[in-house]
Amino acid sequence: MGKIIAIANQKGGVGKTTTAINLAASLAALEFKTLLIDADPQANSTSGLGFNPKEVSRSIYECMVGIATVAESILATEVPFLDIIPSHIDLVGAEIEMINLTNREGKMKEALAGIKDQYDFIIMDCSPSLGLITINSLTAADSVIIPVQCEYYALEGLGKLLNTIKIIQSRLNPGLVIEGILLTMYDLRLRLSNQVVNEVNSHFKNMVFETIIPRNIRLSESPSYGIPAILHDADSKGAISYLNLAKEIILKNGLLQTI
Ligand code: ADP
Ligand code: MG
């Protein structure tokens, strides 16, 4: 039974896409069959894995509005055990087209029902908004990872996100849990980074992942090569930290014996 994990935070630039690509690639490196869904019209996960969003003919958009099936929209990536359902800019239009559909919040869940069992993990890269596509992702998800950047205003907007998650839990997806809050772009030398780590830990205690993602050049440059950091430079601090995150999630979900 595949576990669906949404990577969400309506704030832009906090590391959602970097986490989606590198967590998915790390789970795949551990030989868990993984599907990455790019649910952001900016299509950064799509291009980060080497696909040109302008040349994509079927995306998660077509799946949600019922023009294509998920099965025919899946592309194999260069990473063994990792597939992707890409995005393209038309996903922006999906929000408007979906408004008049019945069960408009449940379209992603409906689309994924047929393939959920074919994967160990399905990772969804959400857009920086709490619009209908993100609501669809959270309705389809079993859990959510919230990346928080170790920067000024780290906690800004987090209350609103947690509130949205509560509403989705009560109205649309009672099974949704918070997999964890992930501290990203940590810089050991900065006092501010350490302050944010302490602040988030004291506010959210055992909701925070032990793994902290450092600021690392390999993570920011690997999308330009169209490959995840684990293929670009497996020994880099960035690649190792996402592998550790994957292992932490596997342990937490009781899948250790299968590593
Ligand atoms: P989001 O998807 O939340 O908008 P991204 O993952 O695209 O955020 O990250 C925003 C920017 O920060 C990108 O340029 C990305 O390459 C860079 N970045 C993200 N995480 C790291 C990191 N740990 N170290 C260095 N750069 C990072
Ligand atoms: Mg992004």
Side-chain angles (χ1 to χ4, degrees):
M1 192 66 163
K3 174 152 191 168
I4 306 182
I5 305 178
I7 317 290
N9 188 334
Q10 76 277 23
K11 226 170 141 177
V14 297
K16 288 183 292 297
T17 299
T18 305
T19 298
I21 292 177
N22 290 288
L23 172 61
S26 298
L27 291 166
L30 295 167
E31 302 193 351
F32 286 93
K33 201 162 180 242
T34 304
L35 174 67
L36 175 61
I37 298 179
D38 191 348
D40 181 358
Q42 286 174 33
N44 293 339
S45 275
T46 302
S47 53
L49 279 179
F51 298 94
N52 182 346
K54 289 187 184 135
E55 289 168 6
V56 162
S57 58
R58 292 190 198 97
S59 71
I60 191 65
Y61 159 76
E62 279 79 11
C63 302
M64 287 202 295
V65 297
I67 304 171
T69 66
V70 159
E72 62 192 359
S73 309
I74 292 173
L75 302 172
T77 74
E78 278 184 37
V79 186
F81 294 94
L82 179 61
D83 292 341
I84 184 171
I85 299 179
S87 174
H88 58 66
I89 191 70
D90 284 355
L91 193 57
V92 171
E95 300 229 333
I96 296 156
E97 280 190 39
M98 282 162 50
I99 282 177
N100 291 321
L101 299 180
T102 51
N103 187 27
R104 62 182 180 212
E105 297 92 357
K107 291 293 153 195
M108 180 84 83
K109 189 179 174 135
E110 275 176 20
L112 296 182
I115 53 119
K116 195 177 174 193
D117 288 350
Q118 292 168 27
Y119 291 92
D120 297 307
F121 288 97
I122 299 178
I123 306 294
M124 295 192 286
D125 181 17
C126 296
S127 72
S129 96
L130 292 174
L132 192 50
I133 298 169
T134 300
I135 304 285
N136 261 270
S137 300
L138 292 172
T139 301
D142 297 304
S143 70
V144 52
I145 292 176
I146 305 171
V148 168
Q149 191 185 357
C150 297
E151 269 299 339
Y152 282 113
Y153 310 120
L155 299 179
E156 189 192 58
L158 218 53
K160 193 173 174 199
L161 177 58
L162 294 173
N163 203 31
T164 302
I165 291 171
K166 267 195 197 134
I167 293 170
I168 289 175
Q169 284 167 331
S170 69
R171 300 202 192 142
L172 297 162
N173 184 6
L176 180 66
V177 296
I178 294 176
E179 191 75 38
I181 292 175
L182 178 68
L183 291 156
T184 66
M185 294 182 241
Y186 172 77
D187 189 335
L188 182 72
R189 296 160 303 177
L190 294 183
R191 212 173 64 183
L192 174 66
S193 262
N194 290 303
Q195 280 170 0
V196 172
V197 171
N198 291 337
E199 199 180 339
V200 171
N201 273 315
S202 68
H203 263 81
F204 298 102
K205 295 191 182 76
N206 42 16
M207 280 165 75
V208 187
F209 284 110
E210 256 176 56
T211 307
I212 296 178
I213 308 300
R215 191 172 275 285
N216 178 257
I217 184 80
R218 291 287 182 266
L219 290 173
S220 53
E221 69 187 9
S222 58
S224 63
Y225 299 95
I227 50 170
I230 201 162
L231 291 195
H232 177 43
D233 182 354
D235 296 327
S236 62
K237 281 198 172 132
I240 290 168
S241 66
Y242 275 109
L243 195 60
N244 287 338
L245 176 68
K247 288 178 181 166
E248 191 177 339
I249 289 169
I250 287 161
L251 263 175
K252 206 174 151 186
N253 285 277
L255 297 167
L256 179 65
Q257 62 279 16
T258 54
I259 301 186

